Amino acid sequence: MIEVIDLYKEFKGVPVLKGVSTTFEKGVTSMIIGQSGSGKTVFLKCLVGLHIPERGIISFDGRKHTELDITEHRLLRQEIGMVFQGGALYDSLTVEENIMFPLKMFADQSISERMDRVNFVLKRVNLENANKKFPAELSGGMQKRVSIARAIVMNPKYLFCDEPNSGLDPNTATVIDNLIKEITEEYQIITVINSHDMNSVMEIGEKIIFLKDGVKEWEGSNKEIFKTENEAIVNFVYSSNLFRKVREAYLKETK
Amino acid sequence: MRYLKHIGKYFLMLRQVFRKPQKWSVFREMLFREIEDLGLKSLGIIAFISFFVGGVIAIQTALNVDNPFIPKYLIGFATKQSMILEFAPTFMSVILAGKVGSYISSSIGTMRVTEQIDALEVMGINSLNYLVLPKIMATMFFYPLLISLAMFLGIFGGYVAGSLTDLFYSDDYLYGIRLDFDPYYIQYALIKTVVFAFVIATIPAYHGYYVKGGSLEVGRASTQAVVWTSVVIILLNYFLTQMLLA
């Protein structure tokens, strides 16, 4: 379990996160939603250790980030997989080399064992024949899939995804969503996704945290989001006519 | 005050760079790649420039030595001294600061703005050690060889220029380049080169690593890196000369 207690982060005196507390469970796809500038990305970067919070505790299965030294931090990070918004694939390396990179750095495996693992994860993300391609030769969706493959190649305990659907067409976005959810359940990992995409939220958001101006405004599941009366989240999630109508129909049906 | 902050940050960066590599086999692979990118790929431009600079020094010295009491072998002597003491180590290092410095700064800067460095950090990799240490080792190992070649080609360029223009006799030139040869000058030049190689690898890496923003900022960081690397090389050249020769 990841436990976040009273997380506070500021930049040049401007607070971005103002005491956020929550938990993330194993095998559950958790989503952080909120408007641009609400602190979602900063929250995610605090979780993975790219930002150091001014106050608060982040505990990974009992290991508090404040009590770890640099080496322990690095060891903890080897249990973390992250899918970046732009993929963050290494341009000069092929798909195969990109995915093999964490294995080369940390795993004591022979080349053939590494290759087997790379082929296994590539198959898992449905990219069997892309081994020798460079990131520039791939579509956005394929790059995201390679990024997911690289994130899971070390069998992480924790998976973080920063807007994995940005820039993707609805079909590809659904494929990526389902892939992340399947992986979360299959490997029983803790997955935290930062997203703007309401389709994803409704589809795979088993736990949703809504941030507004650096404060946790609402927390619940994708089922509860239909029934909530919280004005801020209703205005945010149901800002389009289509979603508003869907909500009204759902509420009518469940009455 | 701002400069002091940068200097402090630069030395803090170096503290992270000089850690034990997390995996020696990966470090070795990176080192060979950097030797190719930062060293071997600069061979052509350094050979070309040093050859012609040597030629120009010889011709200019010959044209300015019109006093019959000044022996012509001084043309070879002047070319040798200029190439070994200054043109090869300093002038070529400034050229390398432009070519290699902008490459280092823009490649690391691009990795920063496309979150590739964040990806390394999230994996638990010391990104500074992984990216910068092989560059420092590659330049400090390879640039003395490159600059030695530049010295040789510069002096050879002077010889060829003399043969083509008939401004001086080859025998005089060959006598001049052997006259009063002090091996310590080579040592002095190579010490300077190693220091400059360190500067060429680290200052652009600093500018690239801490860049914020997008491609425009990467371009600006690259320009800043070249300017500051050149300034530091020129300043260090003065102090090193004072320390080693005075």
Side-chain angles (χ1 to χ4, degrees):
Chain A
M1 183 175 77
I2 300 176
E3 199 175 1
V4 181
I5 305 164
D6 193 29
L7 199 68
Y8 183 92
K9 175 73 189 165
E10 61 175 41
F11 290 101
K12 292 180 181 169
V14 180
V16 179
L17 295 174
K18 303 168 192 168
V20 179
S21 299
T22 188
T23 54
F24 300 105
E25 301 288 340
K26 206 185 264 186
V28 175
T29 312
S30 305
M31 302 194 90
I32 305 160
I33 60 170
Q35 286 174 332
S36 299
S38 59
K40 298 187 304 291
T41 302
V42 173
F43 182 66
L44 202 72
K45 288 192 171 178
C46 283
L47 290 183
V48 297
L50 290 173
H51 288 326
I52 309 296
E54 268 75 35
R55 206 170 62 220
I57 292 169
I58 304 163
S59 166
F60 289 81
D61 294 312
R63 290 168 291 176
K64 291 177 185 166
H65 85 283
T66 45
E67 293 170 2
L68 304 176
D69 61 25
I70 291 180
T71 316
E72 287 168 330
H73 257 295
R74 294 222 162 97
L75 287 173
L76 171 66
R77 283 177 180 181
Q78 287 169 31
E79 296 173 13
I80 292 174
M82 181 151 180
V83 178
F84 285 86
Q85 193 173 352
L89 299 173
Y90 304 117
D91 309 322
S92 57
L93 304 181
T94 61
V95 166
E96 187 179 282
E97 289 165 339
N98 260 288
I99 299 169
M100 202 186 280
F101 184 74
L103 295 173
K104 254 168 81 174
M105 285 302 291
F106 302 113
D108 285 321
Q109 292 176 325
S110 66
I111 295 173
S112 67
E113 282 171 329
R114 278 187 221 152
M115 271 315 301
D116 288 346
R117 179 71 188 149
V118 168
N119 288 330
F120 173 78
V121 290
L122 273 174
K123 198 174 169 192
R124 187 66 197 80
V125 298
N126 301 319
L127 267 180
E128 281 110 321
N129 299 316
N131 292 50
K132 300 292 174 199
K133 286 187 174 166
F134 283 92
E137 297 172 286
L138 304 174
S139 67
M142 286 165 95
Q143 286 188 15
K144 286 281 161 66
R145 278 189 274 169
V146 175
S147 187
I148 293 171
R150 187 178 65 182
I152 63 168
V153 75
M154 290 286 285
N155 277 325
K157 283 186 184 170
Y158 319 100
L159 179 65
F160 298 93
C161 308
D162 187 14
E163 307 210 14
N165 291 336
S166 68
L168 300 182
D169 64 85
N171 276 342
T172 314
T174 308
V175 170
I176 297 291
D177 283 342
N178 290 333
L179 183 63
I180 293 171
K181 188 169 165 53
E182 281 167 27
I183 289 167
T184 305
E185 287 168 1
E186 198 176 318
Y187 302 112
Q188 283 296 297
I189 51 182
I190 297 172
T191 298
V192 183
I193 304 170
N194 184 354
S195 185
H196 265 129
D197 187 345
M198 286 309 126
N199 281 325
S200 302
V201 174
M202 298 303 190
E203 198 71 27
I204 62 166
E206 291 169 277
K207 177 174 183 172
I208 298 159
I209 292 146
F210 175 60
L211 292 183
K212 193 185 174 202
D213 300 327
V215 175
K216 187 178 78 176
E217 181 77 26
W218 185 85
E219 188 174 323
S221 68
N222 52 359
K223 306 278 183 300
E224 289 165 338
I225 213 165
F226 278 109
K227 299 170 193 166
T228 182
E229 296 299 324
N230 182 306
E231 202 180 328
I233 193 157
V234 168
N235 286 342
F236 175 71
V237 177
Y238 306 105
S239 55
S240 77
N241 277 335
L242 177 67
F243 274 118
R244 223 172 289 144
K245 281 175 185 164
V246 169
R247 181 174 184 253
E248 280 162 17
Y250 178 84
L251 290 175
K252 222 180 261 176
E253 205 177 275
T254 51
K255 252 179 190 174
Chain B
M1 203 61 193
R2 198 160 53 95
Y3 293 124
L4 278 178
K5 194 181 150 195
H6 280 295
I7 292 167
K9 209 167 157 188
Y10 170 78
F11 283 105
L12 286 173
M13 177 193 89
L14 291 182
R15 213 173 71 172
Q16 285 298 314
V17 170
F18 287 104
R19 299 270 167 125
K20 192 179 140 208
Q22 281 164 291
K23 196 142 193 185
W24 284 103
S25 57
V26 175
F27 173 77
R28 204 169 46 235
E29 198 180 302
M30 284 292 283
L31 180 64
F32 285 121
R33 190 181 297 173
E34 299 297 359
I35 287 175
E36 190 189 345
D37 284 344
L38 310 179
L40 287 171
K41 285 183 180 170
S42 305
L43 210 62
I45 186 81
I46 291 299
F48 176 79
I49 293 176
S50 54
F51 180 82
F52 281 97
V53 164
V56 169
I57 293 170
I59 291 172
Q60 285 195 353
T61 312
L63 291 173
N64 284 289
V65 176
D66 49 6
N67 188 326
F69 291 107
I70 299 175
K72 290 285 185 190
Y73 61 72
L74 281 183
I75 296 163
F77 181 76
T79 307
K80 175 197 73 181
Q81 294 292 80
S82 308
M83 282 311 299
I84 291 176
L85 291 173
E86 222 35 64
F87 278 93
T90 311
F91 189 61
M92 294 304 146
S93 290
V94 173
I95 302 271
L96 287 167
K99 184 188 176 288
V100 174
S102 60
Y103 168 75
I104 291 176
S105 175
S106 57
S107 60
I108 294 181
T110 304
M111 285 186 79
R112 165 63 74 198
V113 299
T114 55
E115 296 182 310
Q116 292 177 44
I117 290 179
D118 286 348
L120 286 172
E121 287 290 333
V122 171
M123 281 178 207
I125 294 166
N126 176 348
S127 56
L128 278 168
N129 173 272
Y130 172 77
L131 292 171
V132 185
L133 188 62
K135 288 180 172 56
I136 296 174
M137 293 299 162
T139 52
M140 288 177 78
F141 163 75
F142 199 79
Y143 285 1
L145 301 175
L146 207 58
I147 297 305
S148 302
L149 180 77
M151 288 175 194
F152 171 78
L153 285 175
I155 295 167
F156 180 63
Y159 175 83
V160 173
S163 306
L164 293 176
T165 57
D166 286 334
L167 284 170
F168 49 87
Y169 294 115
S170 304
D171 287 347
D172 285 340
Y173 187 83
L174 291 175
Y175 178 75
I177 62 174
R178 280 177 293 180
L179 181 73
D180 197 20
F181 177 73
D182 185 351
Y184 178 69
Y185 288 161
I186 302 279
Q187 206 178 322
Y188 155 78
L190 293 182
I191 290 170
K192 283 207 304 187
T193 302
V194 170
V195 175
F196 296 159
F198 182 81
V199 170
I200 290 168
T202 54
I203 292 182
Y206 170 80
H207 282 276
Y209 192 83
Y210 292 108
V211 75
K212 278 181 187 154
S215 50
L216 198 66
E217 282 76 15
V218 172
R220 275 196 200 123
S222 192
T223 311
Q224 287 266 306
V226 173
V227 170
W228 278 109
T229 308
S230 306
V231 168
V232 172
I233 286 174
I234 299 297
L235 285 174
L236 284 175
N237 185 41
Y238 175 80
F239 290 114
L240 285 170
T241 304
Q242 185 85 4
M243 281 194 310
L244 297 169
L245 288 185

